[in-house]
mmCIF file of all heavy atoms in Angstrom:
data_model
loop_
_atom_site.group_PDB
_atom_site.id
_atom_site.type_symbol
_atom_site.label_atom_id
_atom_site.label_comp_id
_atom_site.label_asym_id
_atom_site.label_seq_id
_atom_site.Cartn_x
_atom_site.Cartn_y
_atom_site.Cartn_z
ATOM 1 N N VAL A 1 2.684 -1.365 8.756
ATOM 2 C CA VAL A 1 3.829 -0.882 7.996
ATOM 3 C C VAL A 1 5.048 -0.812 8.893
ATOM 4 O O VAL A 1 4.938 -0.832 10.131
ATOM 5 C CB VAL A 1 3.546 0.504 7.377
ATOM 6 C CG1 VAL A 1 2.308 0.474 6.507
ATOM 7 C CG2 VAL A 1 3.398 1.564 8.476
ATOM 8 N N ASP A 2 6.225 -0.698 8.263
ATOM 9 C CA ASP A 2 7.436 -0.410 9.041
ATOM 10 C C ASP A 2 7.561 1.088 9.302
ATOM 11 O O ASP A 2 7.778 1.503 10.439
ATOM 12 C CB ASP A 2 8.670 -0.919 8.300
ATOM 13 C CG ASP A 2 9.015 -2.345 8.671
ATOM 14 O OD1 ASP A 2 8.728 -2.760 9.807
ATOM 15 O OD2 ASP A 2 9.556 -3.064 7.810
ATOM 16 N N TYR A 3 7.441 1.897 8.247
ATOM 17 C CA TYR A 3 7.638 3.345 8.374
ATOM 18 C C TYR A 3 6.482 4.136 7.772
ATOM 19 O O TYR A 3 6.183 5.238 8.193
ATOM 20 C CB TYR A 3 8.959 3.766 7.723
ATOM 21 C CG TYR A 3 10.137 3.002 8.285
ATOM 22 C CD1 TYR A 3 10.783 2.024 7.531
ATOM 23 C CD2 TYR A 3 10.565 3.215 9.591
ATOM 24 C CE1 TYR A 3 11.842 1.292 8.052
ATOM 25 C CE2 TYR A 3 11.626 2.479 10.127
ATOM 26 C CZ TYR A 3 12.249 1.526 9.345
ATOM 27 O OH TYR A 3 13.271 0.790 9.876
ATOM 28 N N GLY A 4 5.844 3.603 6.761
ATOM 29 C CA GLY A 4 4.744 4.316 6.100
ATOM 30 C C GLY A 4 5.208 5.354 5.111
ATOM 31 O O GLY A 4 4.670 5.494 4.023
ATOM 32 N N SER A 5 6.234 6.097 5.494
ATOM 33 C CA SER A 5 6.726 7.216 4.693
ATOM 34 C C SER A 5 7.185 6.795 3.295
ATOM 35 O O SER A 5 7.213 7.623 2.379
ATOM 36 C CB SER A 5 7.898 7.901 5.403
ATOM 37 O OG SER A 5 7.538 8.298 6.695
ATOM 38 N N TYR A 6 7.538 5.537 3.141
ATOM 39 C CA TYR A 6 8.117 5.068 1.879
ATOM 40 C C TYR A 6 7.107 4.275 1.054
ATOM 41 O O TYR A 6 7.479 3.481 0.186
ATOM 42 C CB TYR A 6 9.387 4.271 2.150
ATOM 43 C CG TYR A 6 10.314 5.036 3.063
ATOM 44 C CD1 TYR A 6 10.663 4.550 4.310
ATOM 45 C CD2 TYR A 6 10.788 6.297 2.703
ATOM 46 C CE1 TYR A 6 11.467 5.282 5.176
ATOM 47 C CE2 TYR A 6 11.579 7.042 3.554
ATOM 48 C CZ TYR A 6 11.927 6.517 4.794
ATOM 49 O OH TYR A 6 12.716 7.251 5.639
ATOM 50 N N ILE A 7 5.813 4.524 1.324
ATOM 51 C CA ILE A 7 4.720 3.912 0.588
ATOM 52 C C ILE A 7 3.975 4.996 -0.179
ATOM 53 O O ILE A 7 3.598 6.012 0.394
ATOM 54 C CB ILE A 7 3.736 3.185 1.515
ATOM 55 C CG1 ILE A 7 4.445 2.077 2.299
ATOM 56 C CG2 ILE A 7 2.555 2.616 0.726
ATOM 57 C CD1 ILE A 7 3.585 1.457 3.384
ATOM 58 N N SER A 8 3.761 4.766 -1.466
ATOM 59 C CA SER A 8 2.894 5.660 -2.250
ATOM 60 C C SER A 8 1.735 4.826 -2.811
ATOM 61 O O SER A 8 1.948 3.718 -3.305
ATOM 62 C CB SER A 8 3.660 6.359 -3.361
ATOM 63 O OG SER A 8 4.143 5.440 -4.312
ATOM 64 N N ILE A 9 0.544 5.372 -2.702
ATOM 65 C CA ILE A 9 -0.679 4.692 -3.142
ATOM 66 C C ILE A 9 -1.392 5.619 -4.127
ATOM 67 O O ILE A 9 -1.641 6.797 -3.822
ATOM 68 C CB ILE A 9 -1.603 4.366 -1.961
ATOM 69 C CG1 ILE A 9 -0.847 3.575 -0.874
ATOM 70 C CG2 ILE A 9 -2.826 3.587 -2.443
ATOM 71 C CD1 ILE A 9 -1.651 3.382 0.394
ATOM 72 N N GLY A 10 -1.707 5.100 -5.301
ATOM 73 C CA GLY A 10 -2.308 5.901 -6.348
ATOM 74 C C GLY A 10 -3.791 6.185 -6.126
ATOM 75 O O GLY A 10 -4.368 5.872 -5.088
ATOM 76 N N ALA A 11 -4.402 6.757 -7.155
ATOM 77 C CA ALA A 11 -5.795 7.178 -7.097
ATOM 78 C C ALA A 11 -6.740 5.984 -7.357
ATOM 79 O O ALA A 11 -6.383 5.045 -8.070
ATOM 80 C CB ALA A 11 -6.058 8.274 -8.135
ATOM 81 N N ARG A 12 -7.924 6.087 -6.739
ATOM 82 C CA ARG A 12 -9.023 5.126 -6.981
ATOM 83 C C ARG A 12 -8.621 3.674 -6.672
ATOM 84 O O ARG A 12 -9.159 2.728 -7.246
ATOM 85 C CB ARG A 12 -9.525 5.224 -8.443
ATOM 86 C CG ARG A 12 -10.012 6.617 -8.822
ATOM 87 C CD ARG A 12 -10.338 6.718 -10.285
ATOM 88 N NE ARG A 12 -9.193 6.339 -11.110
ATOM 89 C CZ ARG A 12 -8.163 7.149 -11.391
ATOM 90 N NH1 ARG A 12 -8.148 8.404 -10.927
ATOM 91 N NH2 ARG A 12 -7.150 6.725 -12.148
ATOM 92 N N THR A 13 -7.713 3.527 -5.753
ATOM 93 C CA THR A 13 -7.263 2.190 -5.349
ATOM 94 C C THR A 13 -8.064 1.724 -4.132
ATOM 95 O O THR A 13 -8.435 2.537 -3.284
ATOM 96 C CB THR A 13 -5.754 2.228 -5.072
ATOM 97 O OG1 THR A 13 -5.056 2.236 -6.326
ATOM 98 C CG2 THR A 13 -5.271 1.053 -4.260
ATOM 99 N N PHE A 14 -8.313 0.438 -4.072
ATOM 100 C CA PHE A 14 -9.008 -0.151 -2.929
ATOM 101 C C PHE A 14 -8.120 -1.196 -2.275
ATOM 102 O O PHE A 14 -7.651 -2.142 -2.943
ATOM 103 C CB PHE A 14 -10.321 -0.808 -3.364
ATOM 104 C CG PHE A 14 -11.018 -1.527 -2.238
ATOM 105 C CD1 PHE A 14 -11.698 -0.828 -1.266
ATOM 106 C CD2 PHE A 14 -10.966 -2.912 -2.151
ATOM 107 C CE1 PHE A 14 -12.331 -1.490 -0.220
ATOM 108 C CE2 PHE A 14 -11.591 -3.582 -1.108
ATOM 109 C CZ PHE A 14 -12.278 -2.869 -0.145
ATOM 110 N N ILE A 15 -7.886 -1.051 -0.984
ATOM 111 C CA ILE A 15 -7.070 -1.973 -0.212
ATOM 112 C C ILE A 15 -7.907 -2.516 0.922
ATOM 113 O O ILE A 15 -8.350 -1.758 1.789
ATOM 114 C CB ILE A 15 -5.791 -1.291 0.322
ATOM 115 C CG1 ILE A 15 -4.927 -0.821 -0.850
ATOM 116 C CG2 ILE A 15 -5.011 -2.229 1.222
ATOM 117 C CD1 ILE A 15 -3.710 -0.021 -0.448
ATOM 118 N N ASN A 16 -8.131 -3.811 0.917
ATOM 119 C CA ASN A 16 -9.004 -4.440 1.899
ATOM 120 C C ASN A 16 -8.246 -4.642 3.222
ATOM 121 O O ASN A 16 -7.080 -4.293 3.356
ATOM 122 C CB ASN A 16 -9.544 -5.757 1.342
ATOM 123 C CG ASN A 16 -10.966 -6.030 1.797
ATOM 124 O OD1 ASN A 16 -11.330 -5.728 2.931
ATOM 125 N ND2 ASN A 16 -11.767 -6.607 0.913
ATOM 126 N N TYR A 17 -8.941 -5.263 4.175
ATOM 127 C CA TYR A 17 -8.442 -5.373 5.546
ATOM 128 C C TYR A 17 -7.081 -6.055 5.639
ATOM 129 O O TYR A 17 -6.772 -7.007 4.925
ATOM 130 C CB TYR A 17 -9.429 -6.165 6.392
ATOM 131 C CG TYR A 17 -10.838 -5.629 6.389
ATOM 132 C CD1 TYR A 17 -11.840 -6.283 5.718
ATOM 133 C CD2 TYR A 17 -11.141 -4.438 7.054
ATOM 134 C CE1 TYR A 17 -13.145 -5.791 5.711
ATOM 135 C CE2 TYR A 17 -12.448 -3.937 7.054
ATOM 136 C CZ TYR A 17 -13.442 -4.617 6.369
ATOM 137 O OH TYR A 17 -14.715 -4.122 6.360
ATOM 138 N N ASN A 18 -6.268 -5.540 6.561
ATOM 139 C CA ASN A 18 -5.078 -6.240 7.062
ATOM 140 C C ASN A 18 -3.959 -6.361 6.038
ATOM 141 O O ASN A 18 -3.336 -7.407 5.895
ATOM 142 C CB ASN A 18 -5.460 -7.638 7.583
ATOM 143 C CG ASN A 18 -4.476 -8.139 8.609
ATOM 144 O OD1 ASN A 18 -3.935 -7.368 9.410
ATOM 145 N ND2 ASN A 18 -4.219 -9.439 8.600
ATOM 146 N N LEU A 19 -3.683 -5.254 5.315
ATOM 147 C CA LEU A 19 -2.491 -5.209 4.468
ATOM 148 C C LEU A 19 -1.254 -5.053 5.348
ATOM 149 O O LEU A 19 -1.222 -4.176 6.219
ATOM 150 C CB LEU A 19 -2.567 -4.050 3.479
ATOM 151 C CG LEU A 19 -1.283 -3.805 2.662
ATOM 152 C CD1 LEU A 19 -0.993 -4.958 1.718
ATOM 153 C CD2 LEU A 19 -1.357 -2.480 1.924
ATOM 154 N N THR A 20 -0.250 -5.885 5.110
ATOM 155 C CA THR A 20 1.067 -5.698 5.700
ATOM 156 C C THR A 20 1.996 -5.222 4.602
ATOM 157 O O THR A 20 2.216 -5.941 3.625
ATOM 158 C CB THR A 20 1.604 -7.009 6.319
ATOM 159 O OG1 THR A 20 0.738 -7.410 7.389
ATOM 160 C CG2 THR A 20 3.015 -6.804 6.853
ATOM 161 N N ALA A 21 2.498 -4.006 4.735
ATOM 162 C CA ALA A 21 3.370 -3.413 3.710
ATOM 163 C C ALA A 21 4.648 -2.937 4.403
ATOM 164 O O ALA A 21 4.692 -1.828 4.965
ATOM 165 C CB ALA A 21 2.666 -2.246 3.017
ATOM 166 N N LEU A 22 5.655 -3.783 4.400
ATOM 167 C CA LEU A 22 6.917 -3.492 5.104
ATOM 168 C C LEU A 22 7.799 -2.674 4.180
ATOM 169 O O LEU A 22 8.507 -3.196 3.334
ATOM 170 C CB LEU A 22 7.583 -4.786 5.544
ATOM 171 C CG LEU A 22 6.724 -5.675 6.472
ATOM 172 C CD1 LEU A 22 7.557 -6.843 6.976
ATOM 173 C CD2 LEU A 22 6.164 -4.871 7.644
ATOM 174 N N ASP A 23 7.778 -1.358 4.394
ATOM 175 C CA ASP A 23 8.431 -0.414 3.477
ATOM 176 C C ASP A 23 9.841 -0.069 3.947
ATOM 177 O O ASP A 23 10.189 1.096 4.132
ATOM 178 C CB ASP A 23 7.587 0.841 3.327
ATOM 179 C CG ASP A 23 7.282 1.548 4.649
ATOM 180 O OD1 ASP A 23 7.052 0.865 5.659
ATOM 181 O OD2 ASP A 23 7.258 2.790 4.662
ATOM 182 N N VAL A 24 10.674 -1.094 4.081
ATOM 183 C CA VAL A 24 12.094 -0.861 4.318
ATOM 184 C C VAL A 24 12.730 -0.300 3.040
ATOM 185 O O VAL A 24 13.616 0.554 3.087
ATOM 186 C CB VAL A 24 12.788 -2.157 4.774
ATOM 187 C CG1 VAL A 24 14.277 -1.972 4.929
ATOM 188 C CG2 VAL A 24 12.171 -2.628 6.084
ATOM 189 N N ALA A 25 12.268 -0.770 1.883
ATOM 190 C CA ALA A 25 12.504 -0.112 0.604
ATOM 191 C C ALA A 25 11.171 0.474 0.143
ATOM 192 O O ALA A 25 10.126 0.214 0.734
ATOM 193 C CB ALA A 25 13.054 -1.105 -0.417
ATOM 194 N N ARG A 26 11.196 1.239 -0.895
ATOM 195 C CA ARG A 26 9.970 1.912 -1.342
ATOM 196 C C ARG A 26 8.955 0.926 -1.899
ATOM 197 O O ARG A 26 9.313 -0.026 -2.609
ATOM 198 C CB ARG A 26 10.298 2.976 -2.389
ATOM 199 C CG ARG A 26 11.192 4.081 -1.816
ATOM 200 C CD ARG A 26 11.308 5.294 -2.702
ATOM 201 N NE ARG A 26 12.253 6.246 -2.127
ATOM 202 C CZ ARG A 26 11.958 7.135 -1.190
ATOM 203 N NH1 ARG A 26 10.712 7.178 -0.730
ATOM 204 N NH2 ARG A 26 12.861 7.966 -0.739
ATOM 205 N N ILE A 27 7.704 1.166 -1.560
ATOM 206 C CA ILE A 27 6.574 0.404 -2.099
ATOM 207 C C ILE A 27 5.701 1.372 -2.878
ATOM 208 O O ILE A 27 5.229 2.368 -2.328
ATOM 209 C CB ILE A 27 5.758 -0.267 -0.972
ATOM 210 C CG1 ILE A 27 6.611 -1.314 -0.241
ATOM 211 C CG2 ILE A 27 4.493 -0.905 -1.540
ATOM 212 C CD1 ILE A 27 5.907 -1.953 0.947
ATOM 213 N N THR A 28 5.514 1.075 -4.152
ATOM 214 C CA THR A 28 4.720 1.934 -5.017
ATOM 215 C C THR A 28 3.506 1.143 -5.488
ATOM 216 O O THR A 28 3.648 0.089 -6.115
ATOM 217 C CB THR A 28 5.532 2.417 -6.237
ATOM 218 O OG1 THR A 28 6.710 3.087 -5.780
ATOM 219 C CG2 THR A 28 4.709 3.354 -7.102
ATOM 220 N N ILE A 29 2.325 1.641 -5.179
ATOM 221 C CA ILE A 29 1.057 1.018 -5.566
ATOM 222 C C ILE A 29 0.370 1.985 -6.516
ATOM 223 O O ILE A 29 0.148 3.157 -6.176
ATOM 224 C CB ILE A 29 0.182 0.725 -4.334
ATOM 225 C CG1 ILE A 29 0.903 -0.212 -3.371
ATOM 226 C CG2 ILE A 29 -1.171 0.142 -4.761
ATOM 227 C CD1 ILE A 29 0.215 -0.385 -2.037
ATOM 228 N N GLY A 30 0.022 1.530 -7.704
ATOM 229 C CA GLY A 30 -0.475 2.417 -8.759
ATOM 230 C C GLY A 30 -1.934 2.812 -8.592
ATOM 231 O O GLY A 30 -2.560 2.617 -7.546
ATOM 232 N N ASP A 31 -2.490 3.363 -9.674
ATOM 233 C CA ASP A 31 -3.883 3.774 -9.718
ATOM 234 C C ASP A 31 -4.788 2.565 -9.991
ATOM 235 O O ASP A 31 -4.387 1.613 -10.676
ATOM 236 C CB ASP A 31 -4.106 4.792 -10.836
ATOM 237 C CG ASP A 31 -3.314 6.079 -10.656
ATOM 238 O OD1 ASP A 31 -2.987 6.414 -9.496
ATOM 239 O OD2 ASP A 31 -3.034 6.749 -11.674
ATOM 240 N N ASP A 32 -6.002 2.631 -9.483
ATOM 241 C CA ASP A 32 -7.044 1.637 -9.783
ATOM 242 C C ASP A 32 -6.635 0.201 -9.405
ATOM 243 O O ASP A 32 -7.105 -0.745 -10.023
ATOM 244 C CB ASP A 32 -7.429 1.690 -11.256
ATOM 245 C CG ASP A 32 -7.915 3.070 -11.680
ATOM 246 O OD1 ASP A 32 -8.951 3.522 -11.134
ATOM 247 O OD2 ASP A 32 -7.255 3.722 -12.512
ATOM 248 N N VAL A 33 -5.810 0.082 -8.389
ATOM 249 C CA VAL A 33 -5.377 -1.226 -7.898
ATOM 250 C C VAL A 33 -6.418 -1.766 -6.918
ATOM 251 O O VAL A 33 -7.031 -0.998 -6.174
ATOM 252 C CB VAL A 33 -3.980 -1.120 -7.229
ATOM 253 C CG1 VAL A 33 -3.588 -2.423 -6.561
ATOM 254 C CG2 VAL A 33 -2.937 -0.701 -8.262
ATOM 255 N N GLN A 34 -6.612 -3.068 -6.920
ATOM 256 C CA GLN A 34 -7.452 -3.728 -5.925
ATOM 257 C C GLN A 34 -6.597 -4.775 -5.177
ATOM 258 O O GLN A 34 -5.997 -5.641 -5.820
ATOM 259 C CB GLN A 34 -8.658 -4.408 -6.581
ATOM 260 C CG GLN A 34 -9.572 -3.421 -7.270
ATOM 261 C CD GLN A 34 -10.819 -4.110 -7.817
ATOM 262 O OE1 GLN A 34 -11.458 -4.881 -7.113
ATOM 263 N NE2 GLN A 34 -11.160 -3.822 -9.049
ATOM 264 N N ILE A 35 -6.552 -4.636 -3.865
ATOM 265 C CA ILE A 35 -5.756 -5.541 -3.040
ATOM 266 C C ILE A 35 -6.691 -6.210 -2.031
ATOM 267 O O ILE A 35 -7.390 -5.525 -1.249
ATOM 268 C CB ILE A 35 -4.631 -4.775 -2.324
ATOM 269 C CG1 ILE A 35 -3.667 -4.216 -3.349
ATOM 270 C CG2 ILE A 35 -3.915 -5.687 -1.341
ATOM 271 C CD1 ILE A 35 -2.488 -3.434 -2.765
ATOM 272 N N GLY A 36 -6.716 -7.538 -2.051
ATOM 273 C CA GLY A 36 -7.582 -8.298 -1.167
ATOM 274 C C GLY A 36 -7.092 -8.298 0.266
ATOM 275 O O GLY A 36 -6.013 -7.771 0.587
ATOM 276 N N PRO A 37 -7.851 -8.928 1.170
ATOM 277 C CA PRO A 37 -7.460 -8.966 2.583
ATOM 278 C C PRO A 37 -6.226 -9.836 2.815
ATOM 279 O O PRO A 37 -5.959 -10.770 2.056
ATOM 280 C CB PRO A 37 -8.691 -9.574 3.269
ATOM 281 C CG PRO A 37 -9.372 -10.363 2.199
ATOM 282 C CD PRO A 37 -9.138 -9.623 0.920
#
């Protein structure tokens, strides 16, 4: 991540290895999301 502070991740979400989430602006990830490697 760039800062981490501007990322929100919902409930019951699964994020696999090696996510790059550059949160220069806000990143919102909802509930029950599945994100591959």
Side-chain angles (χ1 to χ4, degrees):
V1 303
D2 270 329
Y3 305 108
S5 305
Y6 309 117
I7 300 172
S8 64
I9 306 172
R12 302 173 305 279
T13 283
F14 175 76
I15 297 175
N16 215 323
Y17 304 108
N18 205 36
L19 172 67
T20 297
L22 301 187
D23 57 323
V24 176
R26 297 192 184 277
I27 296 176
T28 304
I29 301 171
D31 298 334
D32 302 298
V33 173
Q34 297 185 47
I35 296 180

